Each structure stands twice: as C-alpha cells, then as structure tokens.
Coordinates of all heavy atoms in Angstrom, one line a residue:
M27 N 56.4 5.5 -9.4 CA 56.3 6.9 -9.3 C 55.6 7.2 -7.9 O 54.8 6.5 -7.3 CB 55.2 7.4 -10.3 CG 55.1 9.0 -10.4 SD 53.9 9.7 -11.5 CE 54.1 8.8 -13.1
A28 N 56.1 8.3 -7.3 CA 55.8 8.5 -5.9 C 54.3 9.1 -5.9 O 53.9 9.6 -6.8 CB 56.8 9.6 -5.2
L29 N 53.7 9.0 -4.7 CA 52.4 9.4 -4.5 C 52.2 10.9 -4.9 O 51.2 11.4 -5.5 CB 51.9 9.1 -3.1 CG 50.4 9.6 -2.7 CD1 49.5 8.8 -3.6 CD2 50.2 9.4 -1.3
G30 N 53.1 11.8 -4.4 CA 53.1 13.2 -4.6 C 53.2 13.6 -6.2 O 52.5 14.4 -6.6
A31 N 54.0 12.8 -6.8 CA 54.1 13.0 -8.3 C 52.9 12.7 -9.0 O 52.4 13.3 -9.9 CB 55.4 12.3 -8.8
R32 N 52.2 11.5 -8.6 CA 51.0 11.1 -9.2 C 49.9 12.1 -9.0 O 49.0 12.4 -9.8 CB 50.6 9.7 -8.7 CG 51.3 8.6 -9.5 CD 50.7 7.3 -9.1 NE 51.6 6.7 -8.2 CZ 51.3 5.8 -7.3 NH1 50.1 5.2 -7.3 NH2 52.2 5.3 -6.5
L33 N 49.8 12.6 -7.8 CA 48.9 13.6 -7.4 C 49.0 14.9 -8.2 O 48.0 15.4 -8.7 CB 49.0 13.9 -5.9 CG 47.9 14.9 -5.4 CD1 46.5 14.4 -5.5 CD2 48.2 15.3 -3.9
L34 N 50.3 15.3 -8.4 CA 50.5 16.5 -9.3 C 50.1 16.3 -10.6 O 49.5 17.2 -11.3 CB 52.0 16.9 -9.2 CG 52.4 17.7 -7.8 CD1 53.9 17.9 -7.8 CD2 51.6 18.9 -7.7
L35 N 50.4 15.2 -11.2 CA 50.1 14.8 -12.5 C 48.5 14.7 -12.7 O 48.0 15.2 -13.7 CB 50.7 13.4 -13.0 CG 50.4 12.9 -14.3 CD1 50.8 13.9 -15.4 CD2 50.9 11.5 -14.6
G36 N 47.8 14.2 -11.7 CA 46.3 14.2 -11.7 C 45.8 15.5 -11.7 O 44.8 15.9 -12.4
L37 N 46.3 16.4 -10.9 CA 46.0 17.8 -10.8 C 46.1 18.6 -12.1 O 45.3 19.3 -12.6 CB 46.5 18.5 -9.6 CG 46.1 18.1 -8.2 CD1 46.8 18.8 -7.2 CD2 44.6 18.4 -8.1
A38 N 47.3 18.4 -12.8 CA 47.6 18.9 -14.0 C 46.6 18.5 -15.0 O 46.2 19.3 -15.9 CB 49.1 18.7 -14.4
L39 N 46.4 17.2 -15.1 CA 45.4 16.7 -16.1 C 44.0 17.3 -15.9 O 43.3 17.6 -16.8 CB 45.4 15.2 -16.1 CG 46.6 14.5 -16.6 CD1 46.5 12.9 -16.4 CD2 46.7 14.8 -18.1
L40 N 43.6 17.4 -14.7 CA 42.3 18.0 -14.3 C 42.2 19.5 -14.8 O 41.3 19.9 -15.3 CB 42.0 17.8 -12.8 CG 40.7 18.4 -12.3 CD1 39.5 17.7 -13.0 CD2 40.6 18.4 -10.9
A41 N 43.3 20.2 -14.5 CA 43.4 21.6 -14.8 C 43.3 21.8 -16.4 O 42.6 22.6 -16.9 CB 44.5 22.3 -14.3
A42 N 44.0 20.8 -17.1 CA 43.9 20.9 -18.6 C 42.5 20.6 -19.1 O 42.0 21.2 -20.0 CB 44.9 19.9 -19.2
L43 N 41.9 19.6 -18.5 CA 40.5 19.3 -18.9 C 39.5 20.5 -18.6 O 38.7 20.7 -19.5 CB 40.0 18.0 -18.1 CG 38.6 17.6 -18.4 CD1 38.4 17.2 -19.9 CD2 38.2 16.5 -17.4
I44 N 39.7 21.1 -17.5 CA 38.8 22.3 -17.2 C 39.1 23.4 -18.3 O 38.2 24.0 -18.7 CB 39.0 22.8 -15.7 CG1 38.5 21.6 -14.7 CG2 38.5 24.1 -15.5 CD1 38.8 21.9 -13.3
G45 N 40.3 23.6 -18.7 CA 40.6 24.6 -19.6 C 40.0 24.3 -20.9 O 39.5 25.1 -21.7
V46 N 40.0 23.0 -21.4 CA 39.3 22.6 -22.6 C 37.9 22.8 -22.6 O 37.3 23.4 -23.5 CB 39.7 21.1 -23.0 CG1 38.9 20.6 -24.1 CG2 41.2 21.0 -23.3
L47 N 37.3 22.5 -21.4 CA 35.8 22.7 -21.3 C 35.5 24.1 -21.3 O 34.4 24.5 -22.0 CB 35.3 22.0 -19.9 CG 35.4 20.4 -20.0 CD1 35.0 19.9 -18.6 CD2 34.5 19.9 -21.1
L48 N 36.2 24.9 -20.7 CA 35.9 26.4 -20.7 C 36.0 27.0 -22.2 O 35.2 27.7 -22.6 CB 36.9 27.1 -19.8 CG 36.6 27.0 -18.4 CD1 37.7 27.7 -17.5 CD2 35.2 27.6 -18.0
Q49 N 37.0 26.5 -22.9 CA 37.1 26.9 -24.3 C 36.0 26.4 -25.1 O 35.4 27.2 -25.9 CB 38.4 26.4 -24.9 CG 39.7 27.0 -24.4 CD 39.7 28.5 -24.7 OE1 39.2 29.0 -25.8 NE2 40.2 29.3 -23.8
L50 N 35.5 25.2 -25.0 CA 34.3 24.7 -25.7 C 33.1 25.5 -25.2 O 32.2 25.8 -26.1 CB 34.1 23.3 -25.3 CG 35.1 22.3 -26.0 CD1 34.9 20.9 -25.5 CD2 35.1 22.5 -27.5
Y51 N 32.9 25.9 -23.9 CA 31.8 26.7 -23.5 C 31.7 28.1 -24.2 O 30.7 28.5 -24.6 CB 31.9 26.9 -22.1 CG 30.8 27.7 -21.4 CD1 29.5 27.2 -21.3 CD2 31.0 29.0 -21.1 CE1 28.5 28.0 -20.7 CE2 29.9 29.8 -20.5 CZ 28.8 29.2 -20.3 OH 27.7 30.0 -19.9
R52 N 32.9 28.7 -24.4 CA 32.9 30.0 -25.0 C 32.7 29.9 -26.5 O 32.3 30.9 -27.1 CB 34.4 30.6 -24.8 CG 34.7 31.0 -23.5 CD 36.0 31.7 -23.4 NE 36.5 31.8 -21.9 CZ 37.6 32.0 -21.6 NH1 38.7 32.0 -22.5 NH2 37.9 32.0 -20.3
L53 N 32.9 28.8 -27.1 CA 32.7 28.6 -28.6 C 31.3 28.3 -28.9 O 30.9 28.4 -30.2 CB 33.7 27.5 -29.1 CG 35.2 27.7 -29.1 CD1 35.8 26.5 -29.5 CD2 35.4 28.9 -30.0
R54 N 30.4 28.0 -28.0 CA 29.1 27.6 -28.4 C 28.4 28.8 -28.9 O 28.6 30.0 -28.5 CB 28.3 27.1 -27.1 CG 28.1 28.0 -26.1 CD 27.4 27.4 -24.9 NE 27.1 28.5 -24.0 CZ 26.2 28.4 -23.1 NH1 25.3 27.4 -23.0 NH2 25.9 29.4 -22.3
K55 N 27.4 28.7 -29.8 CA 26.6 29.7 -30.4 C 25.6 30.2 -29.3 O 25.1 29.5 -28.6 CB 25.9 29.2 -31.6 CG 26.9 28.9 -32.8 CD 26.1 28.5 -34.0 CE 27.1 28.2 -35.1 NZ 26.4 28.0 -36.3
P56 N 25.4 31.5 -29.5 CA 24.3 32.1 -28.5 C 23.0 31.5 -28.9 O 22.6 31.3 -30.1 CB 24.4 33.6 -28.8 CG 25.1 33.7 -30.0 CD 25.9 32.5 -30.2
R57 N 22.1 31.5 -27.9 CA 20.7 31.0 -28.1 C 19.8 32.1 -28.6 O 19.9 33.2 -28.1 CB 20.2 30.5 -26.8 CG 18.7 30.3 -26.7 CD 18.3 28.9 -27.3 NE 16.9 28.8 -27.5 CZ 16.0 28.3 -26.6 NH1 16.5 27.8 -25.5 NH2 14.8 28.2 -26.9
L58 N 19.1 31.8 -29.7 CA 18.2 32.9 -30.2 C 16.8 32.5 -29.7 O 16.4 31.4 -29.8 CB 18.2 32.9 -31.7 CG 19.5 33.4 -32.4 CD1 19.5 33.2 -33.9 CD2 19.9 34.7 -32.0
W59 N 16.1 33.5 -29.1 CA 14.8 33.2 -28.5 C 13.8 33.9 -29.3 O 13.9 35.2 -29.8 CB 14.7 33.8 -27.0 CG 15.7 33.2 -26.2 CD1 17.0 33.5 -25.9 CD2 15.3 32.1 -25.3 NE1 17.5 32.7 -24.9 CE2 16.6 31.8 -24.4 CE3 14.3 31.5 -24.9 CZ2 16.6 30.9 -23.5 CZ3 14.2 30.4 -23.9 CH2 15.4 30.2 -23.2
T60 N 12.7 33.3 -29.4 CA 11.4 34.0 -30.0 C 10.6 34.4 -28.9 O 10.7 33.8 -27.6 CB 10.5 33.0 -30.8 OG1 10.0 32.1 -30.0 CG2 11.3 32.5 -32.0
P61 N 9.7 35.5 -29.0 CA 8.9 36.0 -27.8 C 8.1 34.8 -27.3 O 7.9 34.7 -26.0 CB 8.1 37.0 -28.4 CG 8.9 37.6 -29.6 CD 9.7 36.3 -30.1
E62 N 7.6 33.9 -28.1 CA 6.8 32.8 -27.6 C 7.5 31.8 -26.8 O 7.1 31.3 -25.7 CB 6.2 32.0 -28.8 CG 5.2 32.8 -29.6 CD 5.8 33.8 -30.6 OE1 7.0 33.6 -30.9 OE2 5.1 34.8 -31.0
E63 N 8.9 31.6 -27.1 CA 9.7 30.6 -26.3 C 10.0 31.2 -25.0 O 10.0 30.6 -23.9 CB 11.0 30.3 -27.1 CG 10.9 29.4 -28.3 CD 12.2 29.4 -29.0 OE1 12.9 30.4 -29.1 OE2 12.4 28.2 -29.6
L64 N 10.3 32.6 -25.0 CA 10.7 33.2 -23.8 C 9.5 33.4 -22.8 O 9.7 33.4 -21.6 CB 11.3 34.6 -24.1 CG 12.0 35.4 -23.1 CD1 13.2 34.5 -22.5 CD2 12.5 36.7 -23.6
S65 N 8.2 33.4 -23.4 CA 7.2 33.6 -22.5 C 6.9 32.6 -21.6 O 6.2 32.7 -20.5 CB 5.9 33.9 -23.4 OG 5.6 32.7 -24.1
V66 N 7.4 31.3 -21.8 CA 7.3 30.2 -20.9 C 8.0 30.4 -19.6 O 7.6 29.9 -18.5 CB 7.8 28.9 -21.6 CG1 7.8 27.7 -20.7 CG2 7.0 28.7 -22.9
Y67 N 9.1 31.2 -19.7 CA 10.0 31.4 -18.5 C 9.6 32.6 -17.7 O 10.5 33.5 -17.4 CB 11.4 31.4 -18.9 CG 11.9 30.2 -19.7 CD1 11.7 30.0 -21.0 CD2 12.4 29.2 -18.9 CE1 12.1 28.9 -21.7 CE2 12.8 28.0 -19.5 CZ 12.7 27.8 -20.9 OH 13.0 26.7 -21.5
N68 N 8.4 32.7 -17.3 CA 7.8 33.9 -16.6 C 7.6 33.8 -15.2 O 7.0 34.5 -14.5 CB 6.4 34.3 -17.3 CG 5.4 33.3 -17.1 OD1 5.7 32.3 -16.5 ND2 4.3 33.6 -17.7
G69 N 8.1 32.6 -14.6 CA 8.0 32.4 -13.2 C 6.8 31.6 -12.8 O 6.7 31.3 -11.5
T70 N 5.9 31.3 -13.6 CA 4.7 30.5 -13.2 C 5.0 29.0 -12.9 O 4.2 28.4 -12.3 CB 3.5 30.7 -14.1 OG1 4.0 30.3 -15.4 CG2 3.1 32.1 -14.2
D71 N 6.0 28.5 -13.6 CA 6.4 27.2 -13.4 C 7.7 27.2 -12.5 O 8.7 27.6 -12.9 CB 6.8 26.5 -14.7 CG 7.2 25.1 -14.6 OD1 7.5 24.5 -13.6 OD2 7.1 24.4 -15.7
E72 N 7.5 26.6 -11.2 CA 8.6 26.6 -10.3 C 9.8 25.9 -10.7 O 10.9 26.1 -10.3 CB 8.2 26.0 -9.0 CG 7.1 26.8 -8.2 CD 7.6 28.0 -7.4 OE1 8.8 27.8 -6.9 OE2 7.0 28.9 -7.1
G73 N 9.7 24.9 -11.7 CA 10.8 24.2 -12.1 C 11.6 24.8 -13.2 O 12.7 24.3 -13.5
L74 N 11.1 26.0 -13.7 CA 11.9 26.7 -14.8 C 12.6 27.9 -14.3 O 12.0 28.6 -13.3 CB 11.1 27.0 -16.0 CG 10.4 25.8 -16.7 CD1 9.4 26.3 -17.7 CD2 11.5 25.1 -17.4
P75 N 13.6 28.4 -14.8 CA 14.2 29.8 -14.3 C 13.2 30.9 -14.9 O 12.4 30.7 -15.7 CB 15.6 29.8 -15.1 CG 15.3 28.9 -16.2 CD 14.5 27.8 -15.9
I76 N 13.4 32.0 -14.3 CA 12.7 33.2 -14.7 C 13.7 34.0 -15.7 O 14.8 34.4 -15.2 CB 12.3 34.1 -13.5 CG1 11.3 33.3 -12.7 CG2 11.5 35.3 -14.1 CD1 10.9 34.0 -11.4
L77 N 13.3 34.2 -16.8 CA 14.1 35.0 -17.8 C 13.5 36.3 -18.2 O 12.3 36.4 -18.2 CB 14.3 34.1 -19.0 CG 14.9 32.7 -18.8 CD1 15.1 31.9 -20.1 CD2 16.3 32.8 -18.0
L78 N 14.4 37.3 -18.6 CA 13.9 38.5 -19.0 C 14.9 39.0 -20.1 O 16.2 38.9 -19.9 CB 14.1 39.5 -17.8 CG 13.9 41.0 -18.1 CD1 12.4 41.1 -18.5 CD2 14.2 41.8 -16.9
G79 N 14.3 39.3 -21.2 CA 15.1 39.8 -22.4 C 15.2 41.3 -22.4 O 14.2 42.0 -22.3
I80 N 16.4 41.8 -22.5 CA 16.6 43.3 -22.5 C 17.6 43.6 -23.6 O 18.7 43.1 -23.6 CB 17.1 43.9 -21.1 CG1 16.1 43.5 -20.0 CG2 17.4 45.3 -21.4 CD1 16.6 44.0 -18.7
L81 N 17.2 44.3 -24.7 CA 18.1 44.9 -25.8 C 18.9 43.8 -26.3 O 20.1 43.9 -26.4 CB 18.9 45.9 -25.3 CG 18.3 47.2 -24.8 CD1 19.1 48.2 -24.1 CD2 17.4 47.9 -25.9
G82 N 18.3 42.6 -26.6 CA 19.0 41.5 -27.4 C 19.7 40.5 -26.4 O 20.3 39.6 -26.9
S83 N 19.7 40.7 -25.1 CA 20.3 39.8 -24.2 C 19.3 39.1 -23.3 O 18.3 39.9 -23.0 CB 21.4 40.5 -23.4 OG 22.5 41.0 -24.1
V84 N 19.4 38.0 -22.9 CA 18.5 37.4 -22.0 C 19.1 37.0 -20.6 O 20.2 36.5 -20.6 CB 18.0 36.0 -22.6 CG1 17.0 35.3 -21.6 CG2 17.2 36.2 -24.0
F85 N 18.5 37.5 -19.7 CA 19.1 37.4 -18.2 C 18.2 36.4 -17.4 O 17.0 36.4 -17.6 CB 19.1 38.8 -17.6 CG 20.0 39.8 -18.2 CD1 19.4 40.6 -19.3 CD2 21.3 39.9 -17.9 CE1 20.3 41.5 -19.9 CE2 22.1 40.8 -18.5 CZ 21.6 41.6 -19.5
D86 N 18.9 35.7 -16.6 CA 18.3 34.8 -15.6 C 18.0 35.6 -14.4 O 19.0 36.0 -13.7 CB 19.1 33.6 -15.3 CG 18.4 32.6 -14.4 OD1 17.5 33.0 -13.8 OD2 19.0 31.5 -14.3
V87 N 16.8 35.9 -14.0 CA 16.4 36.8 -12.8 C 15.8 35.9 -11.8 O 15.1 36.5 -10.9 CB 15.6 37.9 -13.3 CG1 16.4 38.9 -14.2 CG2 14.3 37.5 -13.9
T88 N 16.0 34.6 -11.8 CA 15.4 33.6 -10.8 C 15.7 34.0 -9.4 O 14.9 33.9 -8.6 CB 15.9 32.2 -11.1 OG1 15.7 31.9 -12.5 CG2 15.1 31.3 -10.3
K89 N 16.9 34.6 -9.1 CA 17.3 34.9 -7.8 C 16.4 36.1 -7.3 O 16.2 36.2 -6.0 CB 18.7 35.4 -7.7 CG 19.8 34.4 -7.9 CD 21.1 34.9 -7.7 CE 22.3 33.8 -8.0 NZ 23.6 34.3 -7.9
G90 N 15.8 36.8 -8.1 CA 14.9 37.9 -7.8 C 13.4 37.4 -7.9 O 12.6 38.2 -8.2
R91 N 13.2 36.2 -7.6 CA 11.8 35.6 -7.7 C 10.8 36.5 -7.0 O 9.7 36.7 -7.5 CB 11.8 34.2 -7.2 CG 10.4 33.4 -7.4 CD 10.4 32.1 -7.1 NE 11.1 31.2 -8.0 CZ 10.8 30.8 -9.0 NH1 9.6 31.1 -9.6 NH2 11.5 30.1 -9.8
S92 N 11.1 37.0 -5.8 CA 10.1 37.9 -5.1 C 9.7 39.1 -5.9 O 8.6 39.6 -5.8 CB 10.6 38.2 -3.7 OG 11.7 39.1 -3.9
H93 N 10.6 39.6 -6.8 CA 10.3 40.7 -7.6 C 9.7 40.3 -9.0 O 8.8 41.0 -9.5 CB 11.5 41.6 -7.9 CG 12.2 42.1 -6.6 ND1 11.6 42.9 -5.8 CD2 13.3 41.7 -6.1 CE1 12.4 43.2 -4.8 NE2 13.4 42.4 -4.8
Y94 N 10.3 39.3 -9.6 CA 10.0 38.9 -11.0 C 9.0 37.8 -11.1 O 8.5 37.5 -12.1 CB 11.2 38.6 -11.7 CG 12.1 39.8 -11.9 CD1 13.2 40.0 -11.1 CD2 11.9 40.7 -12.9 CE1 14.1 41.0 -11.3 CE2 12.7 41.8 -13.0 CZ 13.8 41.9 -12.3 OH 14.6 43.1 -12.4
G95 N 8.7 37.1 -10.0 CA 7.8 35.9 -10.0 C 6.4 36.4 -9.8 O 6.1 37.6 -9.7
P96 N 5.4 35.5 -9.9 CA 4.0 35.9 -9.7 C 3.8 36.6 -8.4 O 4.3 36.3 -7.3 CB 3.3 34.5 -9.7 CG 4.2 33.5 -10.4 CD 5.7 34.0 -10.0
G97 N 3.0 37.7 -8.5 CA 2.8 38.6 -7.4 C 3.8 39.6 -7.1 O 3.6 40.5 -6.4
G98 N 5.0 39.5 -7.8 CA 6.0 40.5 -7.7 C 5.8 41.8 -8.5 O 5.1 41.8 -9.5
G99 N 6.3 42.9 -8.1 CA 6.1 44.2 -8.8 C 6.6 44.2 -10.3 O 6.0 45.0 -11.1
Y100 N 7.5 43.4 -10.6 CA 7.9 43.4 -12.0 C 7.7 42.1 -12.8 O 8.2 41.7 -13.8 CB 9.5 43.5 -12.0 CG 9.9 44.8 -11.3 CD1 10.7 44.8 -10.2 CD2 9.6 46.0 -11.9 CE1 11.1 46.0 -9.5 CE2 10.0 47.2 -11.2 CZ 10.7 47.1 -10.1 OH 11.1 48.3 -9.4
H101 N 6.7 41.3 -12.3 CA 6.2 40.0 -12.9 C 5.8 40.3 -14.4 O 6.1 39.4 -15.2 CB 5.2 39.4 -12.1 CG 4.7 38.0 -12.7 ND1 5.5 37.0 -12.9 CD2 3.5 37.8 -13.3 CE1 4.8 36.1 -13.6 NE2 3.5 36.5 -13.8
H102 N 5.2 41.3 -14.7 CA 4.7 41.6 -16.0 C 5.9 41.8 -17.0 O 5.7 41.6 -18.2 CB 3.9 42.8 -16.1 CG 4.5 44.1 -15.6 ND1 4.6 44.4 -14.2 CD2 5.0 45.1 -16.2 CE1 5.3 45.6 -14.1 NE2 5.5 46.1 -15.3
F103 N 7.1 41.9 -16.6 CA 8.3 41.9 -17.5 C 8.9 40.6 -17.7 O 9.6 40.3 -18.7 CB 9.4 42.8 -17.0 CG 9.0 44.2 -17.0 CD1 8.9 45.0 -15.8 CD2 8.7 44.9 -18.2 CE1 8.6 46.3 -15.8 CE2 8.4 46.3 -18.1 CZ 8.3 47.0 -17.0
S104 N 8.6 39.6 -16.8 CA 9.3 38.3 -16.8 C 8.7 37.5 -18.0 O 7.5 37.6 -18.4 CB 8.9 37.5 -15.5 OG 9.4 38.2 -14.4
G105 N 9.7 36.8 -18.7 CA 9.3 36.0 -19.7 C 9.0 36.8 -21.1 O 8.3 36.3 -21.9
S106 N 9.4 38.1 -21.0 CA 9.3 38.9 -22.2 C 10.5 39.7 -22.6 O 11.5 39.6 -22.0 CB 8.1 39.9 -21.8 OG 8.5 40.8 -20.8
I107 N 10.4 40.4 -23.7 CA 11.5 41.2 -24.3 C 11.2 42.7 -23.9 O 10.2 43.1 -24.5 CB 11.7 40.8 -25.7 CG1 12.0 39.3 -25.9 CG2 12.8 41.7 -26.3 CD1 12.0 38.9 -27.3
F108 N 12.1 43.3 -23.3 CA 11.9 44.6 -22.9 C 12.9 45.4 -23.8 O 14.1 45.4 -23.7 CB 12.4 44.8 -21.5 CG 11.9 46.1 -20.9 CD1 10.6 46.3 -20.8 CD2 12.8 46.9 -20.2 CE1 10.1 47.6 -20.2 CE2 12.4 48.1 -19.7 CZ 11.1 48.4 -19.6
L109 N 12.4 46.3 -24.7 CA 13.1 47.0 -25.7 C 13.2 48.5 -25.6 O 14.0 49.1 -26.3 CB 12.6 46.6 -27.1 CG 12.7 45.1 -27.5 CD1 12.0 44.9 -28.8 CD2 14.2 44.7 -27.6
T110 N 12.3 49.1 -24.8 CA 12.4 50.5 -24.8 C 13.5 51.2 -24.1 O 14.2 50.5 -23.3 CB 11.0 51.0 -24.2 OG1 11.0 50.6 -22.7 CG2 9.8 50.6 -24.9
G111 N 13.9 52.4 -24.3 CA 14.9 53.1 -23.6 C 14.5 53.9 -22.5 O 14.8 55.1 -22.5
T112 N 13.8 53.4 -21.6 CA 13.3 54.1 -20.5 C 14.2 54.1 -19.3 O 15.3 53.4 -19.2 CB 11.9 53.6 -20.1 OG1 12.2 52.2 -19.5 CG2 10.9 53.5 -21.1
H113 N 14.0 55.0 -18.3 CA 14.8 55.0 -17.1 C 14.8 53.7 -16.4 O 15.7 53.2 -15.8 CB 14.3 56.1 -16.2 CG 14.7 56.1 -14.7 ND1 16.2 56.3 -14.6 CD2 14.3 55.7 -13.7 CE1 16.3 56.2 -13.3 NE2 15.2 55.7 -12.7
H114 N 13.5 53.1 -16.4 CA 13.3 51.7 -15.7 C 14.3 50.6 -16.3 O 14.7 49.8 -15.6 CB 11.9 51.3 -15.9 CG 10.9 52.1 -15.1 ND1 10.9 52.3 -13.7 CD2 9.9 53.0 -15.6 CE1 9.9 53.1 -13.4 NE2 9.4 53.5 -14.5
E115 N 14.5 50.7 -17.6 CA 15.4 49.8 -18.3 C 16.8 49.9 -17.6 O 17.5 48.9 -17.4 CB 15.4 50.0 -19.8 CG 16.3 48.9 -20.4 CD 16.2 49.3 -21.9 OE1 15.2 49.3 -22.5 OE2 17.3 49.4 -22.5
R116 N 17.2 51.0 -17.5 CA 18.6 51.2 -16.9 C 18.6 50.7 -15.5 O 19.6 50.1 -15.1 CB 19.0 52.7 -17.0 CG 19.5 53.1 -18.3 CD 19.9 54.5 -18.4 NE 19.1 55.2 -19.2 CZ 18.3 56.2 -18.9 NH1 18.4 56.7 -17.7 NH2 17.6 56.7 -19.8
L117 N 17.6 50.9 -14.7 CA 17.4 50.3 -13.4 C 17.5 48.8 -13.4 O 18.1 48.2 -12.6 CB 16.1 50.8 -12.7 CG 15.9 50.3 -11.3 CD1 17.0 50.7 -10.4 CD2 14.5 50.8 -10.9
F118 N 16.7 48.2 -14.4 CA 16.7 46.8 -14.5 C 18.2 46.3 -14.8 O 18.6 45.3 -14.2 CB 15.8 46.3 -15.7 CG 14.3 46.4 -15.2 CD1 13.5 46.8 -16.2 CD2 13.9 46.2 -14.0 CE1 12.0 47.0 -16.0 CE2 12.6 46.3 -13.7 CZ 11.6 46.6 -14.7
L119 N 18.9 46.9 -15.7 CA 20.1 46.5 -16.0 C 21.1 46.5 -14.8 O 21.9 45.6 -14.6 CB 20.8 47.3 -17.2 CG 20.2 47.0 -18.5 CD1 20.8 48.2 -19.5 CD2 20.6 45.7 -19.0
E120 N 20.9 47.4 -14.0 CA 21.8 47.5 -12.8 C 21.3 46.4 -11.7 O 22.3 45.7 -11.2 CB 21.6 48.8 -12.1 CG 22.2 50.0 -12.8 CD 21.8 51.3 -12.2 OE1 21.2 51.4 -11.1 OE2 22.0 52.3 -12.9
I121 N 20.2 46.1 -11.7 CA 19.7 45.0 -10.8 C 20.2 43.7 -11.3 O 20.6 42.9 -10.6 CB 18.1 45.1 -10.7 CG1 17.7 46.3 -9.9 CG2 17.7 43.8 -10.0 CD1 16.1 46.5 -9.8
L122 N 20.0 43.4 -12.6 CA 20.3 42.2 -13.2 C 21.8 41.9 -13.1 O 22.3 40.8 -12.9 CB 19.9 42.1 -14.7 CG 18.4 42.1 -14.8 CD1 18.0 42.2 -16.4 CD2 17.7 40.9 -14.2
Q123 N 22.7 42.9 -13.1 CA 24.1 42.7 -13.0 C 24.4 42.1 -11.7 O 25.4 41.3 -11.5 CB 24.9 43.9 -13.3 CG 24.9 44.3 -14.7 CD 25.5 45.6 -15.0 OE1 25.8 46.3 -14.1 NE2 25.6 46.1 -16.1
V124 N 23.7 42.5 -10.6 CA 23.9 42.0 -9.3 C 23.1 40.6 -9.0 O 23.8 39.8 -8.5 CB 23.4 43.0 -8.2 CG1 23.5 42.6 -6.8 CG2 24.0 44.3 -8.4
T125 N 22.0 40.5 -9.4 CA 21.2 39.3 -9.0 C 21.2 38.2 -10.2 O 20.9 37.0 -9.9 CB 19.7 39.6 -8.7 OG1 19.1 40.2 -10.0 CG2 19.6 40.6 -7.7
G126 N 21.3 38.6 -11.5 CA 21.3 37.7 -12.6 C 22.6 37.1 -12.8 O 23.0 36.0 -12.9

C-alpha cells in the first residue's frame, strides 16, 4: 500500500475514533451537585476550578478569577448556587457565556 493511502486510512480511523468519543461524551449523565460539594470550588484552592451554579446549571468561571476569586467583587457567589431572578443574574449569564 502506498504511503499516501496509508496516511489517508490512518486519518479516517482517527476521525472515526474522535466521532465515537464525542458520542460517548454526549451520552454521559449530567453531574448533580449538592451545595456542600459546590462550595469547595470557590476559588480559595488554586488547584481547583471556580464554579458557579445558576438556575440548575453549573458554570466554570475560572477564566474570570479576578472577579470570582478571593478579593474579586463577585467572590461571594463563587462555589454557590444562585437562584434568584434578579437583574444581576441576567448579567452573570451574559458574562458566563463569554468567559465560562
């Protein structure tokens, strides 16, 4: 078999493997968090991501560490579940879609 044909076969197998892995990723069950479990991810441990729960979804806001980490203006929300329907919540959702 020519080198080009082997290369194409290898790329096709790699693409098929990636497709299978993506399907398996979509089939996994969502993680259910308790407030106690989520509270660990509040930014005080540099080795863990900063998580924020909003209306049943948990977002990784680690990229916004300066805002959500210790000393940040929104640190008191990190590692917690935010359930109220305030104007601030809509603002958080917009921010998280960009940074989370």
